[in-house]
Amino acid sequence: MKKTKSQYWNWIDIALRSTLFLILPGFLLIYVFYQVLFNVELTLYWLTVFLAWTGVVKWMIEKYEHRSLNEPLPTFEGIERLMTTENWEILDRTMDSMVIRPTFDFPFNLLLNDKVTVQYADGRVSIQGPLQYLNVFLQEIRGDKKIEKKKNWTVPGIILSVFAISLPILLDGGLWREMKIFYHNAFASEEVQIEVPEEGFMGNSAENILGSGFGAENEDFVFYIENNEIIKTNKNFEEREVLLDSQGATRMNLNVVGDYLYFTNYDELKRVPINGGETETIYDMEVLTEVQIKDDWIYFTSYEDNSNLYRMDLNGGQIERLLNEYVSKFSVYEDKILVSYEENQALRTDRLSLDGSEQTRLLNEDTFKLLEWEGYYYYLDPGSKLYRSKVDGSGKTEQILYENVRNYTITDQGIFYSIYQSDLTNTQNGVYLTDHEGKEREKLFTTTNVTDFATTEQGVLFQSSGFSGRPRVYDYSTGEVRVID
């Protein structure tokens, strides 16, 4: 059927009324609610918004477009008795016509041009108005259906509809995550409440967290990950014991806190007694990366939330965001956090207070895997060259290594680093040791693709895909590399 100009104008009218009086108020209500409750700004994805708007407008037009219908009726007299009086208000009445409006279908009966015109001639009643109300009127005068006003209260339906429309926006804007965090903080409760052993305590060093936290130590033991098993050994890497077998997901980010060892198990943060026992899951909302513990707090980046920087307490509660940026790496120190993050397609480094309340620019250069050591910042540039600059800002930035560094760590003995080229026959591939100025270097071991380093009191652990994930150790006392038996 060919559409008339009046029909198109009716569709436009419905679209405008739906947008101004239904969609926008509903969206703004949700926006303000979550802004006040979670302090989160929505990220608008316009394609999602357009598709949601189109769906709502299409539904409104199909239901409420103006139509004309007619029905055989022997006489116009008594038609008012056939109408459910509580559902209709008579605005005008003549011998053979009337104008009525619905009092049900709130709030749509207020948003739309909802008048229904009824005319009688030649044994037929003709009605014009929104299709939804025409159908209800005809059902009533036929006696097919009585619409009870109390069953047409649609506020719960409206709330559900607005929520469904807004759900993609809520998800894209990160509000679903904020609701989960709100719930987690409100109800998280662990049977064992861990307390920090001492003021200034660190669960693992920044140098080890830079190496995915595959190794950690306390005063008596060294812990490391081998083929996804968590191994416990003494300081001399003897008396090896499997603390947790390989059953589980990818384990990383070891931290020792008192009598417990914390670690990530893909999308879970777990802890296990260092003397053996049942593991306990304290957080399982998402994949955590760069997990580092300082005093009462666990610092981490959220894979789900665009690598933003967060912290939570030692028992998995009080989760809070510290930095709303895409963080590549961060290092926690005594009184600060050094954070490298993306800004305008560059990597910048800022200094944050431990609670995130203060933030200052540290370096404007492209920095990656930044560490602080004895008055210098060490970091890799986009070309994987190692640089250092003084903490006090004096002097010029120095390039101390000219090779493409795969990984590195810093100790009192010097800088341990690895070189990896995709050409596996490259004779440069392996582990090296250089002084802190990069002036002298020594090749310690030839291997491919060293993935992680971990510093300990007695030596440096490193693991490589070149020997099936079995770690080796560079022993400070002998200056030799050996397999951990």
Side-chain angles (χ1 to χ4, degrees), residues 126-153:
S126 298
I127 53 176
Q128 295 180 342
L131 182 60
Q132 166 76 358
Y133 305 142
L134 302 188
N135 289 330
V136 172
F137 179 80
L138 291 178
Q139 288 170 346
E140 289 194 358
I141 65 174
R142 293 178 192 142
D144 295 338
K145 182 179 181 182
K146 298 294 183 183
I147 308 297
E148 297 182 13
K149 189 172 184 177
K150 65 180 181 180
K151 292 185 179 180
N152 287 280
W153 181 259

PDB file of all heavy atoms in Angstrom, residues 126-153:
ATOM      1  N   SER A 126     -16.762   3.989  12.392  1.00  0.00           N
ATOM      2  CA  SER A 126     -15.405   4.227  11.892  1.00  0.00           C
ATOM      3  C   SER A 126     -14.607   4.919  12.984  1.00  0.00           C
ATOM      4  O   SER A 126     -15.094   5.859  13.628  1.00  0.00           O
ATOM      5  CB  SER A 126     -15.437   5.112  10.639  1.00  0.00           C
ATOM      6  OG  SER A 126     -16.148   4.470   9.598  1.00  0.00           O
ATOM      7  N   ILE A 127     -13.379   4.461  13.180  1.00  0.00           N
ATOM      8  CA  ILE A 127     -12.533   5.034  14.226  1.00  0.00           C
ATOM      9  C   ILE A 127     -11.166   5.378  13.636  1.00  0.00           C
ATOM     10  O   ILE A 127     -10.663   4.693  12.741  1.00  0.00           O
ATOM     11  CB  ILE A 127     -12.371   4.071  15.425  1.00  0.00           C
ATOM     12  CG1 ILE A 127     -11.882   2.692  14.951  1.00  0.00           C
ATOM     13  CG2 ILE A 127     -13.660   3.925  16.186  1.00  0.00           C
ATOM     14  CD1 ILE A 127     -11.611   1.725  16.090  1.00  0.00           C
ATOM     15  N   GLN A 128     -10.616   6.445  14.142  1.00  0.00           N
ATOM     16  CA  GLN A 128      -9.289   6.900  13.726  1.00  0.00           C
ATOM     17  C   GLN A 128      -8.464   7.233  14.964  1.00  0.00           C
ATOM     18  O   GLN A 128      -8.982   7.839  15.910  1.00  0.00           O
ATOM     19  CB  GLN A 128      -9.381   8.142  12.828  1.00  0.00           C
ATOM     20  CG  GLN A 128     -10.058   7.908  11.498  1.00  0.00           C
ATOM     21  CD  GLN A 128     -10.105   9.177  10.662  1.00  0.00           C
ATOM     22  OE1 GLN A 128      -9.945  10.285  11.188  1.00  0.00           O
ATOM     23  NE2 GLN A 128     -10.333   9.024   9.371  1.00  0.00           N
ATOM     24  N   GLY A 129      -7.154   6.854  14.925  1.00  0.00           N
ATOM     25  CA  GLY A 129      -6.271   7.131  16.056  1.00  0.00           C
ATOM     26  C   GLY A 129      -5.127   6.144  16.106  1.00  0.00           C
ATOM     27  O   GLY A 129      -4.924   5.349  15.168  1.00  0.00           O
ATOM     28  N   PRO A 130      -4.356   6.125  17.189  1.00  0.00           N
ATOM     29  CA  PRO A 130      -3.247   5.175  17.323  1.00  0.00           C
ATOM     30  C   PRO A 130      -3.753   3.737  17.280  1.00  0.00           C
ATOM     31  O   PRO A 130      -4.763   3.397  17.914  1.00  0.00           O
ATOM     32  CB  PRO A 130      -2.655   5.514  18.697  1.00  0.00           C
ATOM     33  CG  PRO A 130      -3.042   6.937  18.939  1.00  0.00           C
ATOM     34  CD  PRO A 130      -4.391   7.082  18.318  1.00  0.00           C
ATOM     35  N   LEU A 131      -3.047   2.885  16.533  1.00  0.00           N
ATOM     36  CA  LEU A 131      -3.507   1.513  16.287  1.00  0.00           C
ATOM     37  C   LEU A 131      -3.735   0.743  17.580  1.00  0.00           C
ATOM     38  O   LEU A 131      -4.717  -0.010  17.684  1.00  0.00           O
ATOM     39  CB  LEU A 131      -2.468   0.793  15.417  1.00  0.00           C
ATOM     40  CG  LEU A 131      -2.801  -0.642  15.031  1.00  0.00           C
ATOM     41  CD1 LEU A 131      -4.102  -0.712  14.226  1.00  0.00           C
ATOM     42  CD2 LEU A 131      -1.652  -1.264  14.245  1.00  0.00           C
ATOM     43  N   GLN A 132      -2.859   0.911  18.566  1.00  0.00           N
ATOM     44  CA  GLN A 132      -3.013   0.198  19.833  1.00  0.00           C
ATOM     45  C   GLN A 132      -4.371   0.479  20.467  1.00  0.00           C
ATOM     46  O   GLN A 132      -5.049  -0.432  20.943  1.00  0.00           O
ATOM     47  CB  GLN A 132      -1.869   0.609  20.780  1.00  0.00           C
ATOM     48  CG  GLN A 132      -2.057   0.226  22.235  1.00  0.00           C
ATOM     49  CD  GLN A 132      -1.803  -1.253  22.482  1.00  0.00           C
ATOM     50  OE1 GLN A 132      -1.524  -2.004  21.538  1.00  0.00           O
ATOM     51  NE2 GLN A 132      -1.930  -1.670  23.730  1.00  0.00           N
ATOM     52  N   TYR A 133      -4.825   1.746  20.443  1.00  0.00           N
ATOM     53  CA  TYR A 133      -6.067   2.119  21.092  1.00  0.00           C
ATOM     54  C   TYR A 133      -7.275   1.751  20.250  1.00  0.00           C
ATOM     55  O   TYR A 133      -8.354   1.445  20.788  1.00  0.00           O
ATOM     56  CB  TYR A 133      -6.061   3.616  21.409  1.00  0.00           C
ATOM     57  CG  TYR A 133      -4.856   4.019  22.236  1.00  0.00           C
ATOM     58  CD1 TYR A 133      -4.213   5.229  22.013  1.00  0.00           C
ATOM     59  CD2 TYR A 133      -4.364   3.182  23.229  1.00  0.00           C
ATOM     60  CE1 TYR A 133      -3.103   5.595  22.760  1.00  0.00           C
ATOM     61  CE2 TYR A 133      -3.257   3.541  23.983  1.00  0.00           C
ATOM     62  CZ  TYR A 133      -2.631   4.733  23.746  1.00  0.00           C
ATOM     63  OH  TYR A 133      -1.538   5.091  24.489  1.00  0.00           O
ATOM     64  N   LEU A 134      -7.138   1.743  18.923  1.00  0.00           N
ATOM     65  CA  LEU A 134      -8.229   1.297  18.066  1.00  0.00           C
ATOM     66  C   LEU A 134      -8.555  -0.162  18.333  1.00  0.00           C
ATOM     67  O   LEU A 134      -9.731  -0.543  18.417  1.00  0.00           O
ATOM     68  CB  LEU A 134      -7.867   1.492  16.591  1.00  0.00           C
ATOM     69  CG  LEU A 134      -7.506   2.911  16.124  1.00  0.00           C
ATOM     70  CD1 LEU A 134      -7.376   2.929  14.601  1.00  0.00           C
ATOM     71  CD2 LEU A 134      -8.524   3.933  16.595  1.00  0.00           C
ATOM     72  N   ASN A 135      -7.527  -0.976  18.461  1.00  0.00           N
ATOM     73  CA  ASN A 135      -7.752  -2.403  18.703  1.00  0.00           C
ATOM     74  C   ASN A 135      -8.446  -2.632  20.041  1.00  0.00           C
ATOM     75  O   ASN A 135      -9.349  -3.458  20.157  1.00  0.00           O
ATOM     76  CB  ASN A 135      -6.419  -3.157  18.670  1.00  0.00           C
ATOM     77  CG  ASN A 135      -5.837  -3.248  17.271  1.00  0.00           C
ATOM     78  OD1 ASN A 135      -6.586  -3.274  16.280  1.00  0.00           O
ATOM     79  ND2 ASN A 135      -4.517  -3.317  17.172  1.00  0.00           N
ATOM     80  N   VAL A 136      -8.022  -1.867  21.077  1.00  0.00           N
ATOM     81  CA  VAL A 136      -8.649  -2.023  22.391  1.00  0.00           C
ATOM     82  C   VAL A 136     -10.116  -1.591  22.333  1.00  0.00           C
ATOM     83  O   VAL A 136     -11.011  -2.265  22.861  1.00  0.00           O
ATOM     84  CB  VAL A 136      -7.891  -1.199  23.448  1.00  0.00           C
ATOM     85  CG1 VAL A 136      -8.654  -1.192  24.777  1.00  0.00           C
ATOM     86  CG2 VAL A 136      -6.488  -1.764  23.654  1.00  0.00           C
ATOM     87  N   PHE A 137     -10.403  -0.489  21.645  1.00  0.00           N
ATOM     88  CA  PHE A 137     -11.771   0.002  21.538  1.00  0.00           C
ATOM     89  C   PHE A 137     -12.670  -1.016  20.837  1.00  0.00           C
ATOM     90  O   PHE A 137     -13.784  -1.315  21.298  1.00  0.00           O
ATOM     91  CB  PHE A 137     -11.772   1.327  20.780  1.00  0.00           C
ATOM     92  CG  PHE A 137     -13.134   1.915  20.589  1.00  0.00           C
ATOM     93  CD1 PHE A 137     -13.751   2.620  21.609  1.00  0.00           C
ATOM     94  CD2 PHE A 137     -13.826   1.740  19.394  1.00  0.00           C
ATOM     95  CE1 PHE A 137     -15.018   3.154  21.443  1.00  0.00           C
ATOM     96  CE2 PHE A 137     -15.095   2.257  19.210  1.00  0.00           C
ATOM     97  CZ  PHE A 137     -15.694   2.977  20.247  1.00  0.00           C
ATOM     98  N   LEU A 138     -12.202  -1.567  19.733  1.00  0.00           N
ATOM     99  CA  LEU A 138     -13.005  -2.544  18.994  1.00  0.00           C
ATOM    100  C   LEU A 138     -13.232  -3.807  19.811  1.00  0.00           C
ATOM    101  O   LEU A 138     -14.318  -4.401  19.768  1.00  0.00           O
ATOM    102  CB  LEU A 138     -12.323  -2.888  17.663  1.00  0.00           C
ATOM    103  CG  LEU A 138     -12.299  -1.760  16.617  1.00  0.00           C
ATOM    104  CD1 LEU A 138     -11.550  -2.224  15.370  1.00  0.00           C
ATOM    105  CD2 LEU A 138     -13.714  -1.319  16.261  1.00  0.00           C
ATOM    106  N   GLN A 139     -12.231  -4.237  20.534  1.00  0.00           N
ATOM    107  CA  GLN A 139     -12.394  -5.418  21.378  1.00  0.00           C
ATOM    108  C   GLN A 139     -13.462  -5.182  22.441  1.00  0.00           C
ATOM    109  O   GLN A 139     -14.244  -6.084  22.771  1.00  0.00           O
ATOM    110  CB  GLN A 139     -11.057  -5.782  22.044  1.00  0.00           C
ATOM    111  CG  GLN A 139     -10.027  -6.368  21.079  1.00  0.00           C
ATOM    112  CD  GLN A 139      -8.659  -6.501  21.699  1.00  0.00           C
ATOM    113  OE1 GLN A 139      -8.398  -5.920  22.754  1.00  0.00           O
ATOM    114  NE2 GLN A 139      -7.785  -7.234  21.046  1.00  0.00           N
ATOM    115  N   GLU A 140     -13.514  -3.964  22.953  1.00  0.00           N
ATOM    116  CA  GLU A 140     -14.492  -3.671  23.998  1.00  0.00           C
ATOM    117  C   GLU A 140     -15.914  -3.636  23.464  1.00  0.00           C
ATOM    118  O   GLU A 140     -16.828  -4.187  24.077  1.00  0.00           O
ATOM    119  CB  GLU A 140     -14.133  -2.355  24.681  1.00  0.00           C
ATOM    120  CG  GLU A 140     -12.892  -2.445  25.556  1.00  0.00           C
ATOM    121  CD  GLU A 140     -12.733  -1.257  26.466  1.00  0.00           C
ATOM    122  OE1 GLU A 140     -13.572  -0.338  26.395  1.00  0.00           O
ATOM    123  OE2 GLU A 140     -11.776  -1.248  27.270  1.00  0.00           O
ATOM    124  N   ILE A 141     -16.114  -2.973  22.314  1.00  0.00           N
ATOM    125  CA  ILE A 141     -17.487  -2.880  21.822  1.00  0.00           C
ATOM    126  C   ILE A 141     -17.966  -4.220  21.258  1.00  0.00           C
ATOM    127  O   ILE A 141     -19.168  -4.452  21.147  1.00  0.00           O
ATOM    128  CB  ILE A 141     -17.652  -1.761  20.770  1.00  0.00           C
ATOM    129  CG1 ILE A 141     -16.839  -2.079  19.503  1.00  0.00           C
ATOM    130  CG2 ILE A 141     -17.254  -0.420  21.354  1.00  0.00           C
ATOM    131  CD1 ILE A 141     -17.093  -1.082  18.380  1.00  0.00           C
ATOM    132  N   ARG A 142     -17.038  -5.107  20.887  1.00  0.00           N
ATOM    133  CA  ARG A 142     -17.431  -6.459  20.474  1.00  0.00           C
ATOM    134  C   ARG A 142     -17.725  -7.338  21.678  1.00  0.00           C
ATOM    135  O   ARG A 142     -18.325  -8.400  21.561  1.00  0.00           O
ATOM    136  CB  ARG A 142     -16.296  -7.119  19.680  1.00  0.00           C
ATOM    137  CG  ARG A 142     -15.994  -6.509  18.329  1.00  0.00           C
ATOM    138  CD  ARG A 142     -14.828  -7.242  17.702  1.00  0.00           C
ATOM    139  NE  ARG A 142     -14.285  -6.571  16.555  1.00  0.00           N
ATOM    140  CZ  ARG A 142     -12.980  -6.517  16.266  1.00  0.00           C
ATOM    141  NH1 ARG A 142     -12.102  -7.092  17.075  1.00  0.00           N
ATOM    142  NH2 ARG A 142     -12.569  -5.892  15.183  1.00  0.00           N
ATOM    143  N   GLY A 143     -17.190  -6.909  22.837  1.00  0.00           N
ATOM    144  CA  GLY A 143     -17.332  -7.746  24.025  1.00  0.00           C
ATOM    145  C   GLY A 143     -16.293  -8.840  24.092  1.00  0.00           C
ATOM    146  O   GLY A 143     -16.429  -9.785  24.873  1.00  0.00           O
ATOM    147  N   ASP A 144     -15.217  -8.714  23.255  1.00  0.00           N
ATOM    148  CA  ASP A 144     -14.192  -9.758  23.238  1.00  0.00           C
ATOM    149  C   ASP A 144     -13.278  -9.676  24.452  1.00  0.00           C
ATOM    150  O   ASP A 144     -12.779 -10.673  24.945  1.00  0.00           O
ATOM    151  CB  ASP A 144     -13.322  -9.636  21.975  1.00  0.00           C
ATOM    152  CG  ASP A 144     -14.134  -9.887  20.706  1.00  0.00           C
ATOM    153  OD1 ASP A 144     -15.186 -10.533  20.826  1.00  0.00           O
ATOM    154  OD2 ASP A 144     -13.701  -9.442  19.636  1.00  0.00           O
ATOM    155  N   LYS A 145     -13.036  -8.481  24.924  1.00  0.00           N
ATOM    156  CA  LYS A 145     -12.005  -8.311  25.940  1.00  0.00           C
ATOM    157  C   LYS A 145     -12.288  -7.076  26.765  1.00  0.00           C
ATOM    158  O   LYS A 145     -12.688  -6.055  26.231  1.00  0.00           O
ATOM    159  CB  LYS A 145     -10.638  -8.188  25.254  1.00  0.00           C
ATOM    160  CG  LYS A 145      -9.454  -8.064  26.199  1.00  0.00           C
ATOM    161  CD  LYS A 145      -8.180  -7.967  25.394  1.00  0.00           C
ATOM    162  CE  LYS A 145      -6.967  -7.859  26.295  1.00  0.00           C
ATOM    163  NZ  LYS A 145      -5.723  -7.727  25.525  1.00  0.00           N
ATOM    164  N   LYS A 146     -12.101  -7.177  28.031  1.00  0.00           N
ATOM    165  CA  LYS A 146     -12.214  -6.027  28.926  1.00  0.00           C
ATOM    166  C   LYS A 146     -10.815  -5.724  29.458  1.00  0.00           C
ATOM    167  O   LYS A 146     -10.172  -6.579  30.053  1.00  0.00           O
ATOM    168  CB  LYS A 146     -13.164  -6.322  30.096  1.00  0.00           C
ATOM    169  CG  LYS A 146     -14.587  -6.607  29.660  1.00  0.00           C
ATOM    170  CD  LYS A 146     -15.229  -5.378  29.032  1.00  0.00           C
ATOM    171  CE  LYS A 146     -16.684  -5.653  28.659  1.00  0.00           C
ATOM    172  NZ  LYS A 146     -17.298  -4.501  27.981  1.00  0.00           N
ATOM    173  N   ILE A 147     -10.348  -4.541  29.225  1.00  0.00           N
ATOM    174  CA  ILE A 147      -9.012  -4.141  29.659  1.00  0.00           C
ATOM    175  C   ILE A 147      -9.117  -3.514  31.039  1.00  0.00           C
ATOM    176  O   ILE A 147      -9.733  -2.466  31.192  1.00  0.00           O
ATOM    177  CB  ILE A 147      -8.389  -3.136  28.679  1.00  0.00           C
ATOM    178  CG1 ILE A 147      -8.461  -3.672  27.261  1.00  0.00           C
ATOM    179  CG2 ILE A 147      -6.952  -2.819  29.084  1.00  0.00           C
ATOM    180  CD1 ILE A 147      -7.684  -4.948  27.046  1.00  0.00           C
ATOM    181  N   GLU A 148      -8.548  -4.181  32.033  1.00  0.00           N
ATOM    182  CA  GLU A 148      -8.574  -3.641  33.380  1.00  0.00           C
ATOM    183  C   GLU A 148      -7.427  -2.670  33.552  1.00  0.00           C
ATOM    184  O   GLU A 148      -6.283  -2.963  33.207  1.00  0.00           O
ATOM    185  CB  GLU A 148      -8.455  -4.773  34.414  1.00  0.00           C
ATOM    186  CG  GLU A 148      -9.629  -5.734  34.364  1.00  0.00           C
ATOM    187  CD  GLU A 148      -9.520  -6.800  35.428  1.00  0.00           C
ATOM    188  OE1 GLU A 148      -8.680  -6.632  36.344  1.00  0.00           O
ATOM    189  OE2 GLU A 148     -10.249  -7.784  35.364  1.00  0.00           O
ATOM    190  N   LYS A 149      -7.741  -1.536  34.120  1.00  0.00           N
ATOM    191  CA  LYS A 149      -6.758  -0.463  34.224  1.00  0.00           C
ATOM    192  C   LYS A 149      -5.537  -0.893  35.030  1.00  0.00           C
ATOM    193  O   LYS A 149      -4.410  -0.579  34.688  1.00  0.00           O
ATOM    194  CB  LYS A 149      -7.397   0.755  34.868  1.00  0.00           C
ATOM    195  CG  LYS A 149      -6.518   2.002  34.831  1.00  0.00           C
ATOM    196  CD  LYS A 149      -7.289   3.199  35.310  1.00  0.00           C
ATOM    197  CE  LYS A 149      -6.461   4.469  35.193  1.00  0.00           C
ATOM    198  NZ  LYS A 149      -7.215   5.653  35.598  1.00  0.00           N
ATOM    199  N   LYS A 150      -5.762  -1.639  36.072  1.00  0.00           N
ATOM    200  CA  LYS A 150      -4.636  -2.013  36.921  1.00  0.00           C
ATOM    201  C   LYS A 150      -3.645  -2.926  36.219  1.00  0.00           C
ATOM    202  O   LYS A 150      -2.480  -3.017  36.611  1.00  0.00           O
ATOM    203  CB  LYS A 150      -5.143  -2.694  38.196  1.00  0.00           C
ATOM    204  CG  LYS A 150      -5.836  -4.034  37.956  1.00  0.00           C
ATOM    205  CD  LYS A 150      -6.308  -4.623  39.262  1.00  0.00           C
ATOM    206  CE  LYS A 150      -6.991  -5.967  39.043  1.00  0.00           C
ATOM    207  NZ  LYS A 150      -7.445  -6.553  40.321  1.00  0.00           N
ATOM    208  N   LYS A 151      -4.099  -3.618  35.151  1.00  0.00           N
ATOM    209  CA  LYS A 151      -3.190  -4.484  34.420  1.00  0.00           C
ATOM    210  C   LYS A 151      -2.408  -3.733  33.359  1.00  0.00           C
ATOM    211  O   LYS A 151      -1.563  -4.314  32.695  1.00  0.00           O
ATOM    212  CB  LYS A 151      -3.965  -5.637  33.769  1.00  0.00           C
ATOM    213  CG  LYS A 151      -4.544  -6.616  34.776  1.00  0.00           C
ATOM    214  CD  LYS A 151      -5.196  -7.780  34.096  1.00  0.00           C
ATOM    215  CE  LYS A 151      -5.751  -8.766  35.116  1.00  0.00           C
ATOM    216  NZ  LYS A 151      -6.398  -9.930  34.467  1.00  0.00           N
ATOM    217  N   ASN A 152      -2.713  -2.469  33.161  1.00  0.00           N
ATOM    218  CA  ASN A 152      -2.021  -1.699  32.136  1.00  0.00           C
ATOM    219  C   ASN A 152      -0.997  -0.747  32.719  1.00  0.00           C
ATOM    220  O   ASN A 152      -0.500   0.133  32.038  1.00  0.00           O
ATOM    221  CB  ASN A 152      -3.046  -0.908  31.307  1.00  0.00           C
ATOM    222  CG  ASN A 152      -3.834  -1.805  30.390  1.00  0.00           C
ATOM    223  OD1 ASN A 152      -3.375  -2.188  29.337  1.00  0.00           O
ATOM    224  ND2 ASN A 152      -5.031  -2.175  30.817  1.00  0.00           N
ATOM    225  N   TRP A 153      -0.721  -0.901  34.006  1.00  0.00           N
ATOM    226  CA  TRP A 153       0.330  -0.081  34.610  1.00  0.00           C
ATOM    227  C   TRP A 153       1.662  -0.662  34.184  1.00  0.00           C
ATOM    228  O   TRP A 153       2.073  -1.726  34.619  1.00  0.00           O
ATOM    229  CB  TRP A 153       0.168  -0.107  36.123  1.00  0.00           C
ATOM    230  CG  TRP A 153       1.191   0.730  36.827  1.00  0.00           C
ATOM    231  CD1 TRP A 153       2.306   0.289  37.448  1.00  0.00           C
ATOM    232  CD2 TRP A 153       1.179   2.153  36.972  1.00  0.00           C
ATOM    233  NE1 TRP A 153       2.999   1.332  37.971  1.00  0.00           N
ATOM    234  CE2 TRP A 153       2.332   2.490  37.701  1.00  0.00           C
ATOM    235  CE3 TRP A 153       0.304   3.166  36.566  1.00  0.00           C
ATOM    236  CZ2 TRP A 153       2.648   3.800  38.025  1.00  0.00           C
ATOM    237  CZ3 TRP A 153       0.619   4.462  36.884  1.00  0.00           C
ATOM    238  CH2 TRP A 153       1.772   4.771  37.604  1.00  0.00           C
TER     239      TRP A 153
END
